[in-house]
Amino acid sequence: MGSTEDLYLSSRKVKELSVIDGRRAQNCVILLSKLKLSNEEIRQAILKMDEEEDLAKDMLEQLLKFVPEKSDIDLLEEHKHEIDRMARADRFLYEMSRIDHYQQRLQALFFKKKFQERLAEAKPKVEAILLASKELTRSKHLKQLLEVVLAFGNYMNKGQRGNAYGFKVSSLNKIADTKSSIDKNITLLHYLIMIFEKNYIDILDIQSELQHLPEAAKVNLAELEKEVNNIKTGLKAVEAELDYQKRRVREAGDRFVPVMSDFITVASFSFSELEDLLSDARDKYAKALKHFGESDGRMQPDEFFGIFDTFLQSFTEAKQDLENMRKKKEEEERRARMEAMLKEQREKERRQKKAKGSSISEEGGGEFDDLVSALRSGEVFDKDLSKLKRNRKRSGNQSLETSRERAVTKLNY
């Protein structure tokens, strides 16, 4: 059995020292268990700027949530002589706080890992605005379509608001809402497409000239500019930290300066290209607004491009509606022809049956004549009908004998 002193020492060994908030410490321990790295391995990975890719982007993002705060550091410093007794989360935070500019290093590393991904998300949005702006101003089919729409509008508003020299793009989608007074399934857009099919067949292929509209209609320029500015701010923060690290004496294994110097060189060039592209996109978008009479420039790209994108969707649907109507009409006409053919065939068969029935009636005319004669004489009402049958049989035999005699006579002749 152990002594009382041994039990006391054992209880002290089990009891851990923790000065960090309980919930925060618990979440930190969960994160560390997912990382599956020791404190020293994490420390080395941060010093070497994770050249061996031990720290995933999502793990780095979580680590940033557990950067030691000043209050944490002050408390941990008071108990640094009891480091062996520190709970896991406390010891992790204490050891990370010993790394100079730990938070700035972590932020720089996370920015580096996310940079290409953020650039890859922003660039297509900028390109969509740029290309869609060019497509709208250069599209010959769109220009022709709008001319026809304007002509229709002036004709329909003759005597009221006719002879207009243009219309707001925001009213473009009202075409699909203007329904026929005869057939509510037909709109002005359906009628326009029928006109295009007869006289302006090329307009029907308008989508081929406006391929980037759907993507541009999804872009919120304000949010895009905010993201580009955030990337720029992040680059400046990394440059500032690089300048700081260059001035200090670095410990062995510290790879911040060489790694981040190379990154800044490449990233600055890539970001400069993005900024130039965005500037060009803004310029082309402003020209597109002016081109379509939106000179105040207050309309955002998602609204402006969205109007044309919605119109093109309605245009495609209306084309499909007309195609379906034609197919339905053709099917109804085909069915009507088939029914007419079947009706004619039945009538023909009925006439043939009628003609055949008449022939049979003529052959059985003798019996019918006898029956009529019997009705007239009242013979048919006799109780004994055998007399009628015998007379009919006798008459039949006589006819047969007469026929034979005639045949023999003819033969002898």
Side-chain angles (χ1 to χ4, degrees), residues 61-289:
E61 190 173 14
Q62 293 300 315
L63 280 172
L64 281 167
K65 297 176 182 178
F66 296 100
V67 171
E69 297 174 0
K70 188 179 183 304
S71 58
D72 296 331
I73 295 171
D74 292 341
L75 285 170
L76 291 167
E77 281 290 332
E78 290 179 9
H79 297 276
K80 62 182 179 181
H81 58 284
E82 299 178 281
I83 189 170
D84 292 334
R85 285 187 55 223
M86 284 184 183
R88 189 179 182 188
D90 293 62
R91 182 156 184 169
F92 169 75
L93 294 179
Y94 174 74
E95 291 183 2
M96 294 306 108
S97 70
R98 311 304 293 171
I99 300 173
D100 186 48
H101 271 215
Y102 170 70
Q103 183 174 356
Q104 290 83 346
R105 279 176 172 270
L106 213 55
Q107 288 171 337
L109 181 56
F110 182 63
F111 181 84
K112 175 179 175 289
K113 284 181 177 284
K114 288 280 289 183
F115 179 76
Q116 287 300 329
E117 181 183 320
R118 293 171 74 180
L119 215 64
E121 287 179 2
K123 192 174 180 181
K125 294 177 182 178
V126 177
E127 289 175 335
I129 293 176
L130 175 63
L131 295 172
S133 298
K134 288 180 179 179
E135 288 171 351
L136 281 176
T137 53
R138 295 174 183 177
S139 175
K140 293 179 180 179
H141 296 341
L142 178 62
K143 181 181 178 182
Q144 200 171 20
L145 183 148
L146 295 176
E147 286 174 354
V148 175
V149 170
L150 179 60
F152 263 83
N154 282 331
Y155 177 78
M156 291 173 70
N157 294 317
K158 191 175 181 181
Q160 300 174 21
R161 293 168 295 177
N163 300 320
Y165 62 87
F167 58 92
K168 288 283 187 181
V169 294
S170 56
S171 62
L172 189 61
N173 288 308
K174 292 179 181 178
I175 297 171
D177 298 327
T178 307
K179 296 184 178 181
S180 167
S181 58
I182 300 171
D183 185 351
K184 297 299 181 183
N185 293 320
I186 297 294
T187 67
L188 180 57
L189 184 56
H190 288 105
Y191 186 70
L192 278 170
I193 291 172
M194 288 189 276
I195 296 296
F196 297 152
E197 288 173 338
K198 290 180 182 178
N199 304 299
Y200 309 98
I201 193 71
D202 290 344
I203 292 179
L204 298 176
D205 193 35
I206 189 173
Q207 282 95 338
S208 65
E209 293 185 343
L210 304 169
Q211 295 180 9
H212 293 88
L213 269 182
E215 288 304 311
K218 299 173 187 175
V219 180
N220 185 307
L221 185 58
E223 290 182 2
L224 177 59
E225 289 176 330
K226 183 180 178 181
E227 172 61 10
V228 172
N229 285 331
N230 286 340
I231 295 173
K232 187 174 184 177
T233 301
L235 269 175
K236 287 182 177 179
V238 172
E239 287 173 347
E241 183 59 22
L242 182 59
D243 288 340
Y244 170 80
Q245 294 291 341
K246 283 179 179 178
R247 292 195 303 270
R248 64 178 286 272
V249 178
R250 298 185 298 278
E251 63 180 279
D254 187 344
R255 297 278 300 157
F256 186 95
V257 173
V259 170
M260 298 312 290
S261 292
D262 291 343
F263 167 72
I264 285 294
T265 301
V266 176
S268 297
F269 179 76
S270 298
F271 180 73
S272 178
E273 285 184 332
L274 179 64
E275 275 193 314
D276 292 343
L277 196 66
L278 181 59
S279 177
D280 193 17
R282 284 198 197 99
D283 180 58
K284 294 295 186 294
Y285 175 63
K287 287 180 179 178
L289 286 176

Side-chain angles (χ1 to χ4, degrees), residues 173 210 213-215 217-218 304-315:
N173 288 308
L210 304 169
L213 269 182
E215 288 304 311
K218 299 173 187 175
F304 178 69
F305 295 124
I307 291 169
F308 290 100
D309 184 45
T310 300
F311 176 77
L312 288 184
Q313 288 179 34
S314 300
F315 191 86

